[in-house]
Amino acid sequence: MGRLNTGVAKAAALLLAAGLALTGCASGSTGSTAAKASDAKVELRFMWWGNDTRNAMTMKVIEAYQAANPNVTIKPEPTDWGSYWDKLATMTAGNNTPDVIQMDEKYIAEYGSKGVLLDLEKAGVKTDGFAPGTIDLGRVKGKLFGVNAGINAPIVLANPKVISAAGATLPDDKTWTWDQLNAFAKGVTEKSPQGTYGSQNYGAVEPMLRVYLRQNGQDEYSDAGVGFDAPLLGTWFENMQARTADKTFPSAAEATEDMGKALDQTMAATNKAGLFYYWSNQVSALDKATGQDLKLMRPPSKTGSAKDAQLWYKASMYWSGSAKSKNAAEVAKFVSFLSSNIEAGKVMGTERGVPANLAVRDAVKAQLSASDKKVVAYLDAIDAERGKTPAITPVGGSDIQLGRYSQDVLFNKSTPAKAAEGLVNELKSKVKV
């Protein structure tokens, strides 16, 4: 994608640059980074994945940064998600890694462990002002390899159309338990037309599994590798099997078909499920697909107390830098700008997730859509209830086969215990720490 050289883009860039000057950030300098940065001419290559909307927003921010930092040229290298990781791997193998990289949670440990990523903290990136614990989302073995571009969290979505048609009343999400969720969903199924269910099959939803693991003293991963055992996973599969048998969940065939559909074609999106389970950054798309003002709810707890739900913030994606960049201080300045500058945040909004920098988050609230306002309110509400910040997905951990083993249980190809043992053993064989 070429530069946005239209009058609109230039005007937006100049206005943003003016905003930077008024807020004392015209140079983009932050703390120790400013002392290290140079006034010499610098070119930074910047690679990210995204759609046309993201690309246009990012280009406006680049134009603004260059206007405020005339010695710096940012060379944009946007691409699509499907080819992004192959391109980055090829560049890295050829010793041609971009200076600034949009990074994903499932790959940050892999690239960090291979010495590809810059320790941003050491380089001088600005980290103050972030919600407590959210900077740690980018740490791998003590090194800050990524500053999150936005955050999200596991969420239960309730469809008022399906629930009201069944004559049901939602439980209080601050006090509900797994048993209450199951009982509520079963009641909705029983009073709904054939093909409509009280709940999506949460047994195959990774963030819901992780909630369950954390509430039982384990987690998907730990600093030592796989963080959960087969017996606990087996109880998760047993519940899934029981909820399918009593028709709280869709049938095995329906659930399996649903797993392979695009978001806007799922049972959730087509008003065929009362409750469904996603990351909070997917709320806007689901509101639009269903045509409903979906209610956002916390996942249930074992004890009936939201403080025991063990929720967490997940980085939607990161800003990272190349360890081999010849301009590490300038990389840190630009990453600080992307993640912490209020005017830049206003341009990007919540497109990459809700800002973890609290000043930026407050600044963008007024311009948010109704769906995004619900998400920000949800993240604010669970902030004081969060559990321990989870370990980063280790090398090999992105290949957890929850869907495949769930289907084996659903179609009685395996018992819950055997499927759990198979998944854990397979994952342990892949994970490297």
Side-chain angles (χ1 to χ4, degrees):
M1 175 179 174
R3 288 184 176 274
L4 297 181
N5 287 322
T6 65
V8 173
K10 287 184 176 179
L14 291 172
L15 285 171
L16 180 49
L20 295 178
L22 289 172
T23 56
C25 298
S27 69
S29 61
T30 53
S32 61
T33 307
K36 298 178 183 178
S38 169
D39 290 330
K41 295 294 183 181
V42 173
E43 180 178 278
L44 299 179
R45 293 169 53 218
F46 177 21
M47 184 176 179
W48 73 89
W49 72 83
N51 53 27
D52 289 343
T53 298
R54 179 178 296 171
N55 293 345
M57 288 177 175
T58 308
M59 289 301 304
K60 287 180 182 179
V61 171
I62 288 172
E63 295 282 355
Y65 187 79
Q66 291 178 145
N69 296 269
N71 66 307
V72 179
T73 299
I74 307 294
K75 182 180 178 182
E77 298 182 11
T79 189
D80 61 282
W81 170 265
S83 60
Y84 185 85
W85 299 104
D86 285 341
K87 287 184 178 179
L88 183 59
T90 300
M91 289 176 175
T92 300
N95 199 28
N96 189 35
T97 309
D99 298 276
V100 182
I101 311 160
Q102 189 172 289
M103 181 55 59
D104 186 78
E105 196 272 342
K106 291 187 178 297
Y107 298 100
I108 193 168
E110 180 175 352
Y111 277 88
S113 67
K114 292 178 179 178
V116 175
L117 302 181
L118 178 69
D119 184 342
L120 293 169
E121 198 163 46
K122 186 176 180 180
V125 75
K126 180 179 179 180
T127 59
D128 57 307
F130 280 69
T134 56
I135 283 295
D136 292 334
L137 297 174
R139 292 192 194 279
V140 179
K141 296 183 178 179
K143 294 183 178 181
L144 187 64
F145 289 138
V147 174
N148 64 77
I151 55 173
N152 54 25
I155 197 165
V156 178
L157 290 162
N159 187 315
K161 180 178 181 179
V162 174
I163 291 166
S164 61
T169 302
L170 279 170
D172 182 352
D173 73 329
K174 290 184 179 180
T175 61
W176 69 339
T177 64
W178 293 93
D179 287 343
Q180 287 176 314
L181 183 158
N182 293 337
F184 168 81
K186 187 174 188 296
V188 172
T189 299
E190 291 171 347
K191 295 178 182 179
S192 296
Q194 185 175 358
T196 298
Y197 293 87
S199 174
Q200 178 191 42
N201 178 358
Y202 61 68
V205 179
E206 188 180 350
M208 287 296 282
L209 167 61
R210 195 163 193 175
V211 169
Y212 179 77
L213 295 175
R214 286 166 63 86
Q215 290 179 9
N216 284 276
Q218 300 183 26
D219 205 336
E220 195 167 38
Y221 300 106
S222 71
D223 292 338
V226 177
F228 63 99
D229 58 34
L232 182 57
L233 179 60
T235 64
W236 178 256
F237 283 154
E238 287 170 1
N239 175 70
M240 180 185 69
Q241 191 177 57
R243 301 291 74 78
T244 303
D246 69 11
K247 299 184 179 179
T248 300
F249 293 169
S251 68
E254 289 171 315
T256 300
E257 182 181 2
D258 204 49
M259 290 177 201
K261 289 182 177 179
L263 179 68
D264 62 353
Q265 298 173 16
T266 60
M267 298 181 76
T270 55
N271 298 300
K272 297 294 184 182
L275 300 175
F276 32 101
Y277 316 90
Y278 287 89
W279 292 105
S280 58
N281 64 313
Q282 294 169 294
V283 170
S284 181
L286 286 160
D287 268 351
K288 182 178 179 180
T290 60
Q292 303 296 310
D293 181 13
L294 300 173
K295 180 174 175 58
L296 280 57
M297 303 178 69
R298 299 165 175 83
S301 67
K302 288 176 63 179
T303 65
S305 171
K307 292 183 178 180
D308 296 328
Q310 293 296 312
L311 299 180
W312 70 100
Y313 288 156
K314 176 185 178 293
S316 54
M317 57 196 73
Y318 301 93
W319 303 122
S320 295
S322 169
K324 294 187 177 181
S325 175
K326 296 178 180 179
N327 299 288
E330 295 291 348
V331 168
K333 282 179 61 178
F334 186 50
V335 169
S336 296
F337 174 81
L338 291 170
S339 58
S340 296
N341 182 272
I342 288 175
E343 300 304 323
K346 287 180 179 179
V347 172
M348 293 188 286
T350 60
E351 201 280 330
R352 285 182 167 92
V354 174
N357 183 294
L358 297 177
V360 176
R361 186 188 304 182
D362 286 342
V364 305
K365 282 182 179 179
Q367 69 189 50
L368 298 180
S369 67
S371 294
D372 285 338
K373 285 180 180 177
K374 289 192 298 185
V375 174
V376 171
Y378 174 79
L379 294 177
D380 285 346
I382 68 169
D383 185 66
E385 303 163 359
R386 288 183 292 138
K388 181 181 177 182
T389 299
I392 292 288
T393 300
V395 178
S398 61
D399 196 26
I400 182 171
Q401 295 293 315
L402 179 61
R404 174 159 59 85
Y405 284 99
S406 295
Q407 290 177 35
D408 286 347
V409 173
L410 289 172
F411 286 105
N412 297 313
K413 294 180 179 179
S414 180
T415 65
K418 288 183 178 179
E421 185 176 358
L423 186 153
V424 170
N425 288 340
E426 179 180 340
L427 193 59
K428 283 183 176 179
S429 72
K430 296 174 180 176
V431 167
K432 299 176 182 178
V433 292

PDB file of all heavy atoms in Angstrom, residues 10 20 187 202 237 244 385:
ATOM      1  N   LYS A  10      -2.915  14.439   4.599  1.00  0.00           N
ATOM      2  CA  LYS A  10      -1.931  15.434   5.020  1.00  0.00           C
ATOM      3  C   LYS A  10      -2.499  16.354   6.086  1.00  0.00           C
ATOM      4  O   LYS A  10      -1.820  16.717   7.047  1.00  0.00           O
ATOM      5  CB  LYS A  10      -1.466  16.239   3.809  1.00  0.00           C
ATOM      6  CG  LYS A  10      -0.545  15.457   2.868  1.00  0.00           C
ATOM      7  CD  LYS A  10      -0.039  16.334   1.750  1.00  0.00           C
ATOM      8  CE  LYS A  10       0.951  15.582   0.866  1.00  0.00           C
ATOM      9  NZ  LYS A  10       1.448  16.401  -0.238  1.00  0.00           N
ATOM     10  N   LEU A  20       0.489  17.082  18.985  1.00  0.00           N
ATOM     11  CA  LEU A  20       1.689  16.607  19.670  1.00  0.00           C
ATOM     12  C   LEU A  20       2.460  17.782  20.262  1.00  0.00           C
ATOM     13  O   LEU A  20       2.952  17.724  21.388  1.00  0.00           O
ATOM     14  CB  LEU A  20       2.598  15.852  18.696  1.00  0.00           C
ATOM     15  CG  LEU A  20       2.048  14.565  18.110  1.00  0.00           C
ATOM     16  CD1 LEU A  20       3.072  13.985  17.140  1.00  0.00           C
ATOM     17  CD2 LEU A  20       1.737  13.577  19.202  1.00  0.00           C
ATOM     18  N   GLY A 187     -32.361 -24.527  30.368  1.00  0.00           N
ATOM     19  CA  GLY A 187     -33.732 -24.029  30.363  1.00  0.00           C
ATOM     20  C   GLY A 187     -34.066 -23.270  29.087  1.00  0.00           C
ATOM     21  O   GLY A 187     -35.183 -23.396  28.551  1.00  0.00           O
ATOM     22  N   TYR A 202     -19.077 -24.381  24.862  1.00  0.00           N
ATOM     23  CA  TYR A 202     -17.879 -23.700  25.375  1.00  0.00           C
ATOM     24  C   TYR A 202     -16.720 -24.656  25.626  1.00  0.00           C
ATOM     25  O   TYR A 202     -15.597 -24.229  25.862  1.00  0.00           O
ATOM     26  CB  TYR A 202     -18.196 -22.876  26.624  1.00  0.00           C
ATOM     27  CG  TYR A 202     -18.726 -23.627  27.828  1.00  0.00           C
ATOM     28  CD1 TYR A 202     -17.949 -24.525  28.550  1.00  0.00           C
ATOM     29  CD2 TYR A 202     -20.035 -23.396  28.284  1.00  0.00           C
ATOM     30  CE1 TYR A 202     -18.427 -25.180  29.672  1.00  0.00           C
ATOM     31  CE2 TYR A 202     -20.528 -24.052  29.404  1.00  0.00           C
ATOM     32  CZ  TYR A 202     -19.725 -24.938  30.095  1.00  0.00           C
ATOM     33  OH  TYR A 202     -20.201 -25.597  31.207  1.00  0.00           O
ATOM     34  N   PHE A 237     -13.674 -32.038  29.694  1.00  0.00           N
ATOM     35  CA  PHE A 237     -14.270 -32.814  28.603  1.00  0.00           C
ATOM     36  C   PHE A 237     -15.514 -33.576  29.070  1.00  0.00           C
ATOM     37  O   PHE A 237     -16.474 -33.735  28.316  1.00  0.00           O
ATOM     38  CB  PHE A 237     -13.244 -33.785  28.020  1.00  0.00           C
ATOM     39  CG  PHE A 237     -12.221 -33.146  27.108  1.00  0.00           C
ATOM     40  CD1 PHE A 237     -10.972 -33.727  26.934  1.00  0.00           C
ATOM     41  CD2 PHE A 237     -12.501 -31.980  26.417  1.00  0.00           C
ATOM     42  CE1 PHE A 237     -10.032 -33.162  26.086  1.00  0.00           C
ATOM     43  CE2 PHE A 237     -11.568 -31.400  25.567  1.00  0.00           C
ATOM     44  CZ  PHE A 237     -10.330 -31.992  25.399  1.00  0.00           C
ATOM     45  N   THR A 244     -23.671 -31.787  26.114  1.00  0.00           N
ATOM     46  CA  THR A 244     -24.114 -32.143  24.770  1.00  0.00           C
ATOM     47  C   THR A 244     -25.230 -33.175  24.849  1.00  0.00           C
ATOM     48  O   THR A 244     -26.234 -33.080  24.124  1.00  0.00           O
ATOM     49  CB  THR A 244     -22.942 -32.692  23.940  1.00  0.00           C
ATOM     50  OG1 THR A 244     -21.887 -31.711  23.903  1.00  0.00           O
ATOM     51  CG2 THR A 244     -23.372 -33.013  22.516  1.00  0.00           C
ATOM     52  N   GLU A 385     -10.736  -7.245  39.611  1.00  0.00           N
ATOM     53  CA  GLU A 385     -11.026  -8.665  39.864  1.00  0.00           C
ATOM     54  C   GLU A 385     -10.014  -9.586  39.201  1.00  0.00           C
ATOM     55  O   GLU A 385     -10.090 -10.815  39.370  1.00  0.00           O
ATOM     56  CB  GLU A 385     -12.425  -9.000  39.331  1.00  0.00           C
ATOM     57  CG  GLU A 385     -13.527  -8.153  39.922  1.00  0.00           C
ATOM     58  CD  GLU A 385     -14.817  -8.207  39.119  1.00  0.00           C
ATOM     59  OE1 GLU A 385     -14.852  -8.898  38.082  1.00  0.00           O
ATOM     60  OE2 GLU A 385     -15.788  -7.546  39.523  1.00  0.00           O
TER      61      GLU A 385
END
